[in-house]
Amino acid sequence: LILAFKIINKMDTSSKSNAANFPIRSQEDLIGLMSMAKISTSEVQPVVQSVHFANELLDDQVMLLELDEALLAKLIKGEDRLEVKGSIDQEAVLCTSECTYEVREVETSNSLMLSTDTLMPPATASAEGLDGGGIQVRRSSIAAVKHSYAELRRLKPGPASLRCLLPQSASYRGLVEEQEADADAAAAVAAESPTMEQLRTTAQMSDSELSRLLDSVNAIELDGRVRLLHEDLPQQVLSALMSAAVENDWTLAALPVEDACASLADLYDPRVTRRVIQLHSVQSGVLGDCVELDSKLISRTFGHFLLRLGSAYDLSVFLPLWQEAVSDAATVSLDHLAGLCLTSSSPGDCSESADSITVRYFPADLLPDNHAARFAELFKARAKWTLEDLQPYLESVCYGKVTPGSLLARYARVSNANGRKYYSAR
């Protein structure tokens, strides 16, 4: 379905007055034309429209946009909206409340004519309310003629597109560091950190995607500015929370939020503690009086922290070290680090013993969003992959008809070894 958008605030209404300069065809004119075309009056609708082109067409002031029926229905009902986002040095994207689309111009050999007053069936089936009888003729004007329209292609924004708007240099490092910062340093941080409204306007993603990605990069809104939490801070706050839970006989399955924030107030800003609890909570949205912390998310945060500390670990050393850090909050598993770590080979590969497998930090968030570039980095890091190992590195760039299978068919070749299927570079 094609939807017309006005590029200026108000369409020039001169087209309607210009069209009035053309005389409307009479019933006799129309019947004469139909007779020459050998068309009977019984073959046409009661209301026939006399179409004229405006003297001044609004071709440069109108854009046609192709939308699917579901989205168009939401827009008509007022259940969604469209926003164009992108700075002067970026390609513009179109966003709804939940999705982001690339806008592409498509040329067509057909003339797409836009009318502001043409009736469509079944409105032409009845002549009620019009003077006269038989065939009724009404004026219809063409305001614009287009030979192109814009089509939408779904995009899936990744964390990298958000991180560039939230510089690491302005990350929140902790209560002590904030208190010790001088006025100039605080002003510099404020200048680098956007407000939520600025972020919503400049980030090329929908509001729903923005909210999800703010969680994925551990961002927080403090004093009207959106900042990243320093990479070590979530693990530090979690460690303090787990110690406080033991001291106060709390359980991580029913952690009292306000009491927990108050108990750590001397070490961490309560707003930061509450945000860390929210990011690791089983529940989503607004926190209640008590929340259940997700053991897998706790395990992932501690594993992330350890991976960043060293260049590589022997897997047989890393697993007990990781378990000791997590304590009894979770039972660690490499599944918890999907998309964060890379092993020298698949742990299930019979060709290599567990003692000889190494594990290192390899986050999917830092890989290119471009499909070809991402696969180049993946096969540079490891020559052969199983589908299970590749999946976490492809999820963030799959959307719509783009699936892991379609990407593998294009950028990888498959082979079999020891009864297992492996993917490698073409």
Side-chain angles (χ1 to χ4, degrees):
L1 299 176
I2 304 292
L3 190 63
F5 284 87
K6 293 177 285 186
I7 296 178
I8 57 174
N9 291 331
K10 186 176 181 181
M11 286 183 64
D12 186 357
T13 56
S14 63
S15 59
K16 184 172 290 187
S17 61
N18 289 334
N21 296 331
F22 293 94
I24 188 171
R25 287 191 174 94
S26 65
Q27 288 188 15
E28 291 76 14
D29 294 334
L30 183 61
I31 292 173
L33 289 171
M34 291 171 58
S35 176
M36 287 189 288
K38 299 182 179 180
I39 298 175
S40 169
T41 55
S42 62
E43 297 180 76
V44 300
Q45 297 275 29
V47 178
V48 176
Q49 298 170 90
S50 178
V51 180
H52 299 278
F53 288 90
N55 283 343
E56 297 180 10
L57 296 176
L58 306 178
D59 296 357
D60 295 333
Q61 301 174 20
V62 175
M63 174 182 177
L64 300 181
L65 179 65
E66 184 180 46
L67 300 176
D68 62 61
E69 292 189 18
L71 178 54
L72 181 60
K74 285 185 177 181
L75 293 174
I76 292 174
K77 293 178 182 178
E79 298 174 354
D80 212 332
R81 65 182 186 277
L82 294 178
E83 291 183 273
V84 177
K85 295 186 179 182
S87 62
I88 194 169
D89 59 342
Q90 293 176 314
E91 293 285 344
V93 298
L94 194 68
C95 297
T96 66
S97 59
E98 297 183 350
C99 301
T100 303
Y101 299 91
E102 177 187 20
V103 183
R104 290 181 171 180
E105 185 178 23
V106 177
E107 294 186 353
T108 174
S109 58
N110 296 324
S111 296
L112 302 174
M113 293 180 286
L114 176 65
S115 172
T116 58
D117 56 4
T118 297
L119 295 180
M120 302 297 289
T124 57
S126 173
E128 184 179 353
L130 297 175
D131 296 333
I135 295 176
Q136 303 300 310
V137 184
R138 71 183 301 275
R139 184 185 306 282
S140 176
S141 59
I142 300 299
V145 180
K146 303 290 290 185
H147 293 93
S148 66
Y149 61 92
E151 70 172 9
L152 305 182
R153 186 175 72 89
R154 178 74 186 275
L155 296 177
K156 190 173 183 179
S161 58
L162 185 58
R163 288 183 189 277
C164 65
L165 301 174
L166 301 172
Q168 192 67 40
S169 59
S171 63
Y172 178 87
R173 295 178 176 272
L175 190 60
V176 174
E177 290 79 357
E178 291 290 307
Q179 292 173 344
E180 292 179 348
D182 57 31
D184 290 340
V189 166
E192 286 187 87
S193 304
T195 65
M196 186 63 77
E197 183 57 29
Q198 288 172 336
L199 201 59
R200 199 196 72 79
T201 302
T202 57
Q204 291 188 295
M205 59 191 71
S206 66
D207 290 350
S208 176
E209 291 165 326
L210 175 60
S211 177
R212 175 179 58 81
L213 289 176
L214 285 172
D215 287 349
S216 74
V217 300
N218 293 338
I220 185 172
E221 186 175 10
L222 292 171
D223 302 322
R225 298 286 176 170
V226 182
R227 301 167 64 183
L228 295 173
L229 293 177
H230 188 269
E231 291 177 312
D232 295 340
L233 200 55
Q235 179 270 340
Q236 293 171 1
V237 175
L238 279 178
S239 292
L241 279 172
M242 291 161 60
S243 296
V246 173
E247 293 174 6
N248 294 280
D249 201 23
W250 299 330
T251 67
L252 298 184
L255 184 72
V257 176
E258 295 306 321
D259 289 344
C261 292
S263 70
L264 303 185
D266 291 339
L267 298 173
Y268 302 105
D269 188 319
R271 296 172 297 177
V272 173
T273 304
R274 190 175 293 105
R275 178 60 170 158
V276 172
I277 293 173
Q278 183 184 43
L279 291 171
H280 294 83
S281 172
V282 172
Q283 300 91 339
S284 59
V286 180
L287 297 176
D289 295 334
C290 290
V291 299
E292 178 183 357
L293 296 188
D294 191 316
S295 60
K296 292 183 179 179
L297 292 178
I298 293 174
S299 173
R300 184 177 177 88
T301 294
F302 277 91
H304 187 191
F305 173 76
L306 291 173
L307 286 169
R308 289 180 47 254
L309 290 180
S311 56
Y313 295 88
D314 287 336
L315 185 60
S316 58
V317 173
F318 176 73
L319 289 176
L321 185 65
W322 182 19
Q323 184 63 67
E324 182 181 357
V326 174
S327 187
D328 58 355
T331 300
V332 300
S333 169
L334 282 181
D335 293 341
H336 300 167
L337 298 180
L340 278 180
C341 74
L342 180 67
T343 56
S344 56
S345 67
S346 173
D349 193 344
C350 300
S351 64
E352 201 171 346
S353 67
D355 291 339
S356 62
I357 294 175
T358 60
V359 58
R360 66 182 176 90
Y361 188 43
F362 190 69
D365 288 356
L366 300 185
L367 294 178
D369 288 335
N370 177 272
H371 295 153
R374 175 164 293 220
F375 272 95
E377 290 295 323
L378 289 170
F379 291 130
K380 180 181 177 181
R382 186 201 281 177
K384 291 186 177 182
W385 293 74
T386 64
L387 179 59
E388 293 77 14
D389 291 341
L390 270 176
Q391 197 91 20
Y393 292 95
L394 302 182
E395 288 176 350
S396 63
V397 292
C398 289
Y399 45 86
K401 295 181 180 179
V402 180
T403 64
S406 65
L407 291 176
L408 289 170
R410 182 173 182 181
Y411 296 105
R413 62 184 180 88
V414 63
S415 59
N416 288 284
N418 300 320
R420 304 190 72 191
K421 193 175 287 187
Y422 291 90
Y423 295 89
S424 56
R426 283 187 173 278

